[in-house]
Structures are given as C-alpha cells and as structure tokens.
Amino acid sequence: MLTWACERAGYDVDYFARRIPNLKSWIRQEKKPTFKQLEKFTNHTYTPFGYFFYPEPPEENDTPIVDFRTISQKKNKLSRNLIDTINYMLRRQEWLQEYLIEKDSHPLDFVGCASLNDKPKEIAVGIRKRLGLEKGWSNKAKTWQAAIGLIRDKMDDIGVMVVINGVVGNNTRRTLDVNEFRGFAIVNSYAPLIFVNGADSKSAQMFTLAHELAHIWLGKGGISNLEKSYPNSIDVEIWCNQVAAEFLVPEEELLIQWNDVKNQTNRFEYLARKFKVSPVVIYRRVLDLRFIDRDHFFKIYNNYMGKELKNRGVGGDFYNNQNSRIGKLFALNVLSSAIQGRTDFKEAYDLLGLYGGTFQEFAKKNGVFLPE
C-alpha cells in the first residue's frame, strides 16, 4: 500500500523517503508508522487516509474523462494533480445538477445541439448570439483579464460553470502543468463545466475558454491541449479549434482589420490586443487566410512561444481569485442552498474549499450575508 501510494502520486519510493525518513523501514515492516506519521505521509502523497486501512489498493479510474490531447503530449497516465482536479470538478458538477433538478430547472438546450457536420463558422455565430456578445466586443475590453471576466460572466449567465485555476483547489504547492493540459470540458445537460488551466498565459486562456465551450455545444467533453497553434488529427478537436478561432477572431472582422495593418511591423501584436487573443491565434488565422506561408508562420510562432513561457502564472487578491478558482455560478448556488437550509454549512465548506472566516468573507464579497 505504501509503495502504491508513492507510485499513485507520480514518484518512486526514494523520492518520498527523502521527506519521510522511516518510509523504507515501514515498507520492509521493520517499523510501524504512528498515526501522525501516516497522516504526514498521506499529505505528501495526496492519498485519502482511509485507503491505508484497505487490504489492497482500490481500483481507481486514471482517466475520468475522455483524453483528446495529441499523441506527443500524452504520458503513460494522467498526473495525480490532473486526476484530482477532474474528480473535484465532477463532484461539484454532480452536486449542482442535483440542486438544479430539485429546483425544477430545465436541461440546457444548447448542450449537444451541434454536430461535426455543422459549419464551424455558423456555430461560432450562434454561440456569440447565445452569449449576447455584440460585434467587436473584445476590442471594448481594456485588458485580457477584463475580456476573460466578461466572457466568463456571460457563460455563467447561460448556465455554464467556468473554473480557471492554476493549482489543485487552493493548494499552491500543487501546480497544474500547462504542458500536460490547457483545459477540459465535462458535458452535462444541467450543469456543463469548463476548466481552464490558470497557470497558462491570459491570452491562451481566452482560446481555451472558447475551445471548451465548443465542446459543450458539440456535447463531447474531454481533456484538451494545443501544440503548434492547435494542429490535431482528432476530428472533435479540429472542429472545436475552428469554432473557437471563428468565435474569437471572426473572419469578416479580421479581413477588415488586416487591410488596415498588413504593412505594419507589429501587425500581429496589434490584432492580438484588439481581439484579446494570443498572437499565435492571429498567426494561425492569417495562415488559414493564406496571407502568410507556413514557413513564415512557424518562424514567428517559435519566436513568440519562447517569450510566452515567461508570462505565465497568476496572482492578485485571494477573494477575487476564488471566483475564478471555484466558479461564481457554482459558488452562488452553494451559498444560496446553505442559506435555505438545503445544504448544511459543513458540506458547503467542503464544496467550496473554504472554511470559517474565509468562507464568511468570500460570501460577503459576493453580496451574500450569512447568519451569524
């Protein structure tokens, strides 16, 4: 069980033995851990404490949802951080679905309303219309963060849970690896969920949001990643990438803007700021329109990616981050359920991952005042 816990966490016994001095002695059954020592080991390996009372390791699903990542990005199995994040999201989604059904809510008609036979351009137009985004909406947002906030709020309004987080829960020691995944979508007709890796750059997060929303429209969830500006041999990913590109950078609008800036040296960066996307998305859109050739594309792509790696990460106010990490739609429903007495406060604490005064302050920041 001890050896299995080490492997489950993605490391060998020697790695944890440097942190838990008696580990090898326990494995050889020369010594037995105390309660506190075993508790420390479970914290290091992110293993539920109760597992160590099983006669043998329990069966776990190492891939809780479909994996759409390209072959070159796949590992033998998903990291513990990603698996735990997906399982946390599945629990929240299950809770919200049950809560909404109890409230006699109706299934969302846009979930799974599209197919791979639909033209990406038409679907992108339909998504913008459903979200209530007017033409040129991204240009009116002053920053990438403001644009992400706007689109996240619009998704909340139509019933899509959006979580943007760069760590597992609130554990800053468990950073999510951008090289492993950019985001995932979990389809559900009552509570569809989109998770975006918050360790990624803001401009890249924007494309991931749109890409995962396309998955919701298609009704096929899964784990996604992008490589060399989103090439992928999987039909679902190709289609979702095309929808996302058209959603964020409409061809009609890009053609107008390109004619104005095509001779400027900073044309790609200018368009990226205007549409609030990564310059990589602009490179790809311009390549698709055949305004640049593939050699030119890969040259500027590789140059940009070297710079982008330095601009990843998140920070800022703790409580503002919670609306991203938890998802405002989910948080408000949990708080409402707690006030109504449908959910006890202990469960509400666990669902939100916030406790005591932190929970109270978070509720107040969202305009919810809990009874003393």
Side-chain angles (χ1 to χ4, degrees), residues 45-282:
T45 58
Y46 312 121
T47 309
F49 188 85
Y51 278 12
F52 292 96
F53 296 93
Y54 290 8
E56 58 185 31
E59 290 187 13
E60 293 184 310
N61 185 358
D62 286 339
T63 311
I65 58 178
V66 178
D67 190 351
F68 285 122
R69 296 173 302 164
T70 56
I71 297 300
S72 64
Q73 290 159 331
K74 287 189 178 179
K75 302 176 181 179
N76 293 329
K77 62 179 182 179
L78 307 185
S79 71
R80 192 73 246 160
N81 286 348
L82 177 52
I83 292 173
D84 287 349
T85 295
I86 294 172
N87 286 331
Y88 290 157
M89 294 305 107
L90 285 169
R91 182 195 174 198
R92 290 180 179 181
Q93 185 181 63
E94 182 181 2
W95 181 91
L96 184 57
Q97 174 184 271
E98 291 179 359
Y99 177 65
L100 292 174
I101 290 175
E102 287 178 3
K103 291 177 59 180
D104 295 324
S105 299
H106 299 289
L108 302 171
D109 59 2
F110 58 82
V111 177
C113 68
S115 77
L116 293 176
N117 294 323
D118 292 325
K119 294 180 179 179
K121 187 173 183 178
E122 294 177 358
I123 297 301
V125 171
I127 293 175
R128 284 199 302 272
K129 184 176 179 180
R130 184 60 180 258
L131 292 177
L133 293 171
E134 58 188 24
K135 186 176 180 180
W137 67 272
S138 57
N139 188 39
K140 296 177 182 178
K142 293 183 179 181
T143 64
W144 268 275
Q145 187 65 48
I148 290 172
L150 173 62
I151 195 172
R152 191 184 68 211
D153 289 345
K154 293 289 186 181
M155 290 183 186
D156 277 346
D157 290 343
I158 66 170
V160 178
M161 282 194 289
V162 180
V163 179
I164 303 175
N165 198 355
V167 298
V168 181
N170 278 322
N171 190 340
T172 54
R173 295 191 301 274
R174 301 184 67 184
T175 304
L176 299 175
D177 185 0
V178 174
N179 294 317
E180 181 179 22
F181 82 108
R182 291 285 179 93
F184 58 79
I186 308 178
V187 173
N188 181 292
S189 58
Y190 284 91
L193 183 144
I194 289 172
F195 186 96
V196 176
N197 192 336
D200 212 346
S201 64
K202 297 300 180 188
S203 56
Q205 288 177 28
M206 194 65 154
F207 190 87
T208 301
L209 270 173
H211 174 95
E212 302 305 340
L213 188 58
H215 272 282
I216 300 298
W217 243 252
L218 189 60
K220 295 182 182 295
I223 308 166
S224 302
N225 210 334
L226 303 174
E227 184 178 27
K228 293 201 179 299
S229 190
Y230 55 86
N232 198 301
S233 60
I234 302 173
D235 289 345
V236 169
E237 288 295 89
I238 293 171
W239 188 88
C240 290
N241 284 331
Q242 291 172 342
V243 171
E246 178 62 32
F247 171 80
L248 294 171
V249 189
E251 180 179 331
E252 181 182 337
E253 294 180 36
L254 178 59
L255 287 171
I256 295 172
Q257 295 293 332
W258 180 256
N259 286 330
D260 292 337
V261 302
K262 61 183 179 182
N263 295 321
Q264 296 180 18
T265 56
N266 66 338
R267 56 194 180 278
F268 298 110
E269 290 73 16
Y270 171 83
L271 291 172
R273 289 193 299 272
K274 197 170 188 66
F275 287 103
K276 300 300 182 297
V277 296
S278 164
V280 171
V281 177
I282 300 297

Side-chain angles (χ1 to χ4, degrees), residues 310-321:
K310 300 177 182 179
N311 295 320
R312 290 175 175 168
V314 293
D317 178 79
F318 173 82
Y319 292 101
N320 288 335
N321 283 341

Side-chain angles (χ1 to χ4, degrees), residues 13-29:
V13 171
D14 288 338
Y15 175 85
F16 287 108
R18 291 192 290 270
R19 293 157 176 77
I20 310 291
N22 293 319
L23 177 58
K24 290 186 178 181
S25 297
W26 301 341
I27 292 173
R28 292 192 298 265
Q29 298 185 16

